Amino acid sequence: MGRKREVELRKQLAFRTAASMLGMIALVFYLIKASEVTGTSPKILSVMRHKCHPPIDWGVTKVEDLTVEQMIEYVEWTNGMPISPELYNECLVYSFGISHDWTFDKAIERMGCRVFSFDPSMNMEDHNHSPKIHFYNLGLGDRDERWNKDPNMNWTMKSLESIYYNLLKHEGMMDLVRQLSVEVHLPEQGGLDEFRNRIKIIKSLEDYGMVRFDSKYNPWSLEWNNAVDWEGFNAYEVAWYNSKLLRVKPMTDPN
């Protein structure tokens, strides 16, 4: 290839690259502007697909009647009620899955709470990480059992009900849980039935009285879902408060 021809191709490549970047910048500005006008978040492309459909009453609609797109919309939905952080003299938080990162637990401790932290993968004995953070070499499962299928995974798993009773001698679970935050992973195998079962679990919490106030997708979970032949986010950080245990501040007299 001659020198002149090489220079010409480089110019064409630079021009196309610049045009592509300008196009991307224009798209970003469009999304930001649209967000300012409509009040929606930057994931407007995800939300826009729902605007063409009438609103769904999640309280009465059966999961069996929902399409895949509607089930995703349900997971993404939030009532948007702001929860203001407060300092408490007495509160208790259960934290599962530490992976040697105590950032969340320490932040909760600074709010005045006592923290029970659990993670069998850290290979650490039960101990007090700090005066208010108590670590237990246990994992959360749907039943009490030992996981020893792998030499590196000899874990003791306990159900939440067992953990709750053994530590506090309380029976029952949700009746004393004020807030719940979970990273919900949508099933990637098992087909539509397994997908619906996962949605039913979420809905059962809300039928009980848990009110969702936040739902955010995990940006690292964008992939193709083989269970329902759908591309999107497969993990969501979802948070609820217990409407049966809602603390209501007394109204002050304006006079």
Side-chain angles (χ1 to χ4, degrees):
M1 180 187 297
R3 178 64 178 171
K4 184 176 181 180
R5 177 59 175 166
E6 181 180 353
V7 172
E8 183 64 27
L9 290 177
R10 286 181 179 276
K11 288 181 178 180
Q12 292 180 16
L13 178 60
F15 176 79
R16 292 177 181 177
T17 302
S20 177
M21 292 178 64
L22 288 173
M24 293 177 65
I25 293 172
L27 177 60
V28 170
F29 275 113
Y30 168 77
L31 293 177
I32 293 175
K33 189 63 177 179
S35 174
E36 293 174 351
V37 172
T38 62
T40 58
S41 67
K43 62 175 184 177
I44 187 171
L45 294 180
S46 171
V47 177
M48 285 288 287
R49 67 174 182 267
H50 310 310
K51 299 302 183 181
C52 300
H53 305 291
I56 298 174
D57 187 342
W58 304 117
V60 299
T61 304
K62 295 181 178 180
V63 176
E64 291 82 357
D65 298 332
L66 297 176
T67 65
V68 172
E69 185 181 67
Q70 289 171 334
M71 284 189 284
I72 296 299
E73 181 181 355
Y74 173 65
V75 176
E76 294 177 346
W77 170 84
T78 173
N79 66 15
M81 175 179 287
I83 300 294
S84 300
E86 298 181 12
L87 296 179
Y88 298 105
N89 293 325
E90 292 186 12
C91 59
L92 176 61
V93 173
Y94 288 74
S95 176
F96 296 95
I98 312 304
S99 190
H100 299 281
D101 184 354
W102 300 92
T103 306
F104 171 80
D105 307 67
K106 290 179 179 179
I108 294 298
E109 181 186 35
R110 287 194 295 271
M111 295 184 68
C113 298
R114 187 160 49 121
V115 185
F116 288 166
S117 307
F118 304 84
D119 194 334
S121 70
M122 294 166 60
N123 296 319
M124 300 177 68
E125 297 297 325
D126 296 355
H127 68 279
N128 292 328
H129 182 75
S130 72
K132 284 194 172 184
I133 300 177
H134 314 289
F135 176 82
Y136 296 91
N137 186 26
L138 298 173
L140 179 63
D142 60 346
R143 64 179 69 90
D144 296 351
E145 61 180 345
R146 291 283 294 182
W147 279 12
N148 51 12
K149 302 175 184 178
D150 186 288
N152 299 319
M153 192 182 292
N154 190 18
W155 299 348
T156 299
M157 309 298 292
K158 295 286 186 179
S159 69
L160 183 58
E161 188 171 14
S162 292
I163 292 174
Y164 206 45
Y165 180 77
N166 290 335
L167 293 181
L168 298 178
K169 305 305 179 185
H170 285 304
E171 294 184 354
M173 295 177 294
M174 299 308 299
D175 290 342
L176 295 177
V177 175
R178 291 188 179 276
Q179 290 188 23
L180 176 66
S181 179
V182 179
E183 182 172 78
V184 177
H185 289 251
L186 301 177
E188 300 179 40
Q189 304 293 333
L192 188 58
D193 289 341
E194 184 62 27
F195 205 88
R196 291 190 190 280
N197 288 336
R198 191 66 52 87
I199 302 302
K200 286 180 180 178
I201 294 174
I202 300 174
K203 195 171 188 302
S204 67
L205 286 171
E206 295 171 354
D207 290 342
Y208 161 81
M210 302 300 288
V211 179
R212 193 188 316 182
F213 63 87
D214 193 33
S215 178
K216 292 184 176 67
Y217 61 84
N218 184 330
W220 303 105
S221 68
L222 180 62
E223 57 188 349
W224 184 263
N225 189 302
N226 294 317
V228 289
D229 291 331
W230 177 83
E231 184 178 23
F233 298 103
N234 282 332
Y236 291 82
E237 298 278 356
V238 187
W240 299 265
Y241 69 83
N242 192 336
S243 61
K244 300 177 182 180
L245 300 175
L246 184 63
R247 288 192 177 105
V248 180
K249 293 182 178 180
M251 295 183 64
T252 58
D253 189 348
N255 299 320

